[in-house]
Amino acid sequence: MAESRLSDGLLNAALVVGAVVVLVLLYGFATRAFTPRTVPDREEADHSRIQVEVRNGAGVDGLAAQTTAFLRRRGFDVVELGNGAFQDTTTVLVRSGTALDARHVAQALGLGVERVVTGGPTTDYSLDVTVTVGADYRALASYESSD
C-alpha cells in the first residue's frame, strides 16, 4: 500500500512538472507569435555614427582621398584611408557594424546591395564598414560628383 502511494505521488509530481513545462512553452509561443518585433534602426539622415575605412584597390593616385571626401560630405565618419589589394569591383565590407550600415554606405556610392559583403560582424575590428574602391571606380557616385 505504501509503495502504491509513493508511486501515485511520483506520478502526480511528474504530471504537475509536465503541466508546468507545457504552460511555459505555450506562454513562450504566445508571446513570440503575438508580440510585434521591433528592429532598431538608425535614422536615414544620420550616418555620422557609421565609421568607415576607405581602401584604394584600383591603384589610382588620390582615389581613396576623393572617396573619403565624398563620404564625409554625406555625413559618414571616415576615420581611415589608404591602399588595399587590387580588385576589379568596388565592395563594401561589414566589419563590426551591421549590414544596414554597409547598405547606407553602398547607397551613397551608388552601389547596389549585391556589392555589400557580409561575413557577419567581426568584433575584433573597430570600424563598422570597409570600402575597397575597385577598378570600376568611374561608375561610382563619388567619381561622378563634383561637390
Side-chain angles (χ1 to χ4, degrees):
M1 177 93 171
E3 189 176 302
S4 174
R5 277 190 159 172
L6 180 61
S7 164
D8 288 343
L10 289 176
L11 182 58
N12 286 339
L15 288 173
V16 168
V17 169
V20 169
V21 168
V22 168
L23 288 175
V24 168
L25 290 174
L26 285 174
Y27 173 77
F29 172 74
T31 56
R32 186 157 176 92
F34 298 113
T35 303
R37 289 187 171 214
T38 59
V39 177
D41 194 8
R42 292 188 175 142
E43 291 184 21
E44 206 58 40
D46 182 21
H47 302 302
S48 63
R49 289 188 232 149
I50 302 174
Q51 291 188 329
V52 181
E53 169 186 44
V54 176
R55 295 289 172 206
N56 180 351
V60 176
D61 288 339
L63 192 56
Q66 180 182 356
T67 305
T68 295
F70 177 83
L71 289 172
R72 284 181 177 161
R73 284 191 303 270
R74 277 146 188 82
F76 294 98
D77 183 16
V78 181
V79 295
E80 194 171 322
L81 68 130
N83 292 323
F86 178 83
Q87 50 183 75
D88 291 324
T89 59
T90 301
T91 58
V92 181
L93 176 64
V94 176
R95 293 296 191 159
S96 66
T98 65
L100 182 61
D101 294 339
R103 284 194 301 268
H104 285 308
V105 174
Q107 183 181 16
L109 291 170
L111 298 172
V113 294
E114 69 278 356
R115 297 288 185 90
V116 174
V117 179
T118 57
T122 55
T123 56
D124 60 335
Y125 207 80
S126 62
L127 300 171
D128 296 324
V129 174
T130 296
V131 174
T132 303
V133 182
D136 63 344
Y137 66 92
R138 288 183 182 90
L140 299 178
S142 59
Y143 185 75
E144 299 168 357
S145 175
S146 62
D147 63 5

